[in-house]
Amino acid sequence: NNNNNISSISMQSSITKYGEITRAAVYNELKQITDKNVFTPIKYNNIEIKDKNKIIQSILLLKEKFNPDGTFNKLKARLVGNGATQDRNIYDDISSPTASIPSLFTIMTIAAKENRSIGSVDITGAYLHADMENNLVYVKIRKEITDILSTINPNYNEYIDNNGNMYVKLNKALYGCIESAKLWYKHISGFLVKNGFIANNYEKCIFNKIDEEGKQITIILYVDDLIITAQNDNIVAGVIQILKNEFGEITSRIGNKHDYLGMVINKLNNNKVEISMNGYVEKLLSEFNFKKSVVCPA
């Protein structure tokens, strides 16, 4: 992830620092895993012998998310699979595109020049909406996680072994698995195309559509973060509603100022757009104890 406003933290450090916020973040992540039917539990003895040596471990990651000005935003927990141990030879292609920063700047420049309305969307648990498709992926879930999962869904208890572990078959694209990013892009891009958007020939993460008045709607996709530009707020709100109908829980905003990928995007009134990363710059200056200044900083 190229976001400079996210940092990882250990479970123990997170509990010491945030207390109940940590426990709530972990519970919410495992609850959505259950609600979205991300996996199906399976008895270890029912896994074929040839597949047992392909079982991957699960890891619970905690990430601190900060606002672009460096202030704390929220704590996110994420259950991931250790894709580093998966066999890459069984996959033809696992690459997934993301929008380039120059493309983002270009679209924002067009939005400012044409005085478009701007919306931003963050899709919660994005990967978990994409089907795992053809490949069988088994994951081992350890006791510290199954203890919580069993309180969310008591039916899991019959699959938890004497050591507190549980084995599952993935139904959805769990974060960390090597194919998950591509499966998510396939899912979200297919959804946008189904709703009348066309992918740009040169930038696969920019989608355009012409509205009923002949005006362009543009979407920039960076994994699970989207920017929408259109002629007015109502059109942007309509696109956001379509995304909400499909993906459920999303975070969205409509206005001239947006936090996006650690940057602050601010559309000004003079057909210009200002993009800054003050929090990141200040962090670097502090980290390297740099106090000089020059006319043209670089």
Side-chain angles (χ1 to χ4, degrees):
N1 193 326
N2 290 329
N3 284 7
N4 295 303
N5 61 338
I6 294 177
S7 64
S8 297
I9 184 172
S10 70
M11 174 72 81
Q12 191 54 53
S13 296
S14 184
I15 291 174
T16 301
K17 189 173 183 180
Y18 296 110
E20 285 304 315
I21 294 177
T22 300
R23 295 179 181 88
V26 171
Y27 181 88
N28 290 339
E29 167 66 1
L30 297 181
K31 181 73 165 57
Q32 78 157 338
I33 290 281
T34 302
D35 291 346
K36 290 175 177 165
N37 192 32
V38 171
F39 54 65
T40 300
I42 186 170
K43 296 284 182 67
Y44 181 78
N45 290 337
N46 292 338
I47 301 174
E48 293 188 32
I49 294 175
K50 64 181 179 63
D51 293 322
K52 285 182 176 176
N53 64 345
K54 299 177 185 176
I55 297 172
I56 64 174
Q57 297 286 337
S58 62
I59 308 164
L60 188 65
L61 298 180
L62 285 152
K63 298 196 173 195
E64 298 171 295
K65 187 170 183 179
F66 300 93
N67 297 312
D69 64 1
T71 58
F72 176 74
N73 179 297
K74 62 182 176 181
L75 185 71
K76 292 177 68 174
R78 183 166 283 170
L79 182 68
V80 306
N82 185 7
T85 60
Q86 287 181 271
D87 183 2
R88 280 169 160 71
N89 294 322
I90 65 175
Y91 300 95
D92 295 328
D93 180 20
I94 56 173
S95 61
S96 177
T98 54
S100 68
I101 297 303
S103 293
L104 170 64
F105 288 178
T106 302
I107 296 302
M108 289 300 96
T109 303
I110 293 170
K113 185 70 175 176
E114 298 183 354
N115 195 28
R116 295 192 188 189
S117 294
I118 302 173
S120 56
V121 172
D122 180 1
I123 299 175
T124 303
Y127 283 20
L128 307 182
H129 292 278
D131 292 332
M132 208 56 189
E133 294 192 347
N134 300 324
N135 293 306
L136 275 176
V137 179
Y138 293 101
V139 179
K140 178 182 178 181
I141 301 178
R142 299 192 306 273
K143 184 179 186 305
E144 59 267 29
I145 304 173
T146 61
D147 283 348
I148 303 172
L149 282 171
S150 63
T151 65
I152 296 171
N153 186 347
N155 293 330
Y156 291 149
N157 281 313
E158 65 175 289
Y159 296 95
I160 298 174
D161 64 22
N162 294 334
N163 296 316
N165 301 315
M166 181 170 71
Y167 297 86
V168 301
K169 177 180 74 69
L170 292 184
N171 305 318
K172 300 291 183 179
L174 186 69
Y175 286 89
C177 296
I178 59 175
E179 63 269 66
S180 292
K182 181 180 179 181
L183 291 173
W184 162 244
Y185 173 78
K186 181 179 178 181
H187 183 84
I188 181 68
S189 61
F191 172 75
L192 293 175
V193 169
K194 186 175 72 174
N195 281 274
F197 286 89
I198 299 172
N200 184 280
N201 288 332
Y202 302 97
E203 173 66 271
K204 292 182 178 180
C205 289
I206 292 179
F207 297 82
N208 289 298
K209 178 181 179 179
I210 304 302
D211 66 23
E212 294 176 354
E213 297 180 3
K215 302 295 186 179
Q216 188 184 64
I217 308 169
T218 299
I219 293 179
I220 276 196
L221 175 67
Y222 195 99
V223 190
D224 53 1
D225 291 311
L226 292 79
I227 287 280
I228 304 160
T229 72
Q231 292 304 304
N232 59 61
D233 289 356
N234 289 337
I235 296 175
V236 173
V239 176
I240 290 174
Q241 187 59 51
I242 290 170
L243 291 167
K244 189 171 184 178
N245 292 344
E246 174 69 12
F247 299 110
E249 187 180 351
I250 66 173
T251 303
S252 64
R253 171 176 169 73
I254 299 174
N256 289 334
K257 194 171 184 179
H258 298 266
D259 296 346
Y260 190 69
L261 308 182
M263 296 174 279
V264 174
I265 297 172
N266 189 12
K267 191 185 76 164
L268 307 175
N269 292 326
N270 55 359
N271 298 113
K272 294 182 179 180
V273 61
E274 178 184 79
I275 300 177
S276 59
M277 297 183 74
N278 290 346
Y280 182 55
V281 172
E282 292 294 339
K283 177 183 174 184
L284 284 179
L285 293 176
S286 174
E287 186 176 328
F288 291 97
N289 195 29
F290 194 87
K291 296 176 181 177
K292 298 178 183 178
S293 64
V294 291
V295 175
C296 297

